[in-house]
Amino acid sequence: DELLLGFFRFYAGEFEGPSEVVSIRVGARAAIRPPADGAGWYTERLGCTGAGGFHIEDPIDKNRNLNFAMTPQDVSQLLGRIRLAADYLDR
């Protein structure tokens, strides 16, 4: 129960969609924009622009952003449903 609730809580509140990318392969999230030291490689490699609001690195093809099939409206609808689920499960 806690794992499912944690998933919905994370994507409903903690995840900074437009400015972060989640790497399932690494088990972490990172800023899309490269920091001054150049460690933020997601911008060029995944084609992240900060638009779209939902960036997830494909764990098999590291150069693929799994948001490729989602329109901004799809992302908005998905995040809205995730927030509803988080609220429901928090009761």
Side-chain angles (χ1 to χ4, degrees), residues 5-82:
L5 180 56
F7 171 87
F8 286 110
R9 280 182 179 160
F10 172 75
Y11 282 104
E14 294 177 41
F15 183 58
E16 299 286 335
S19 62
E20 287 186 324
V21 61
V22 169
S23 174
I24 297 164
R25 177 182 56 85
V26 175
R29 61 193 207 210
I32 288 174
R33 298 280 180 237
D37 64 5
W41 41 267
Y42 292 102
T43 304
E44 296 80 23
R45 193 165 59 92
L46 291 179
C48 297
T49 61
F54 209 76
H55 304 288
I56 301 176
E57 175 196 52
D58 186 322
I60 297 168
D61 180 355
K62 297 181 287 185
N63 295 312
R64 182 172 165 163
N65 188 340
L66 292 178
N67 82 345
F68 72 95
M70 298 183 79
T71 67
Q73 294 80 16
D74 293 337
V75 171
S76 178
Q77 185 176 18
L78 174 63
L79 292 176
R81 301 291 179 164
I82 287 173

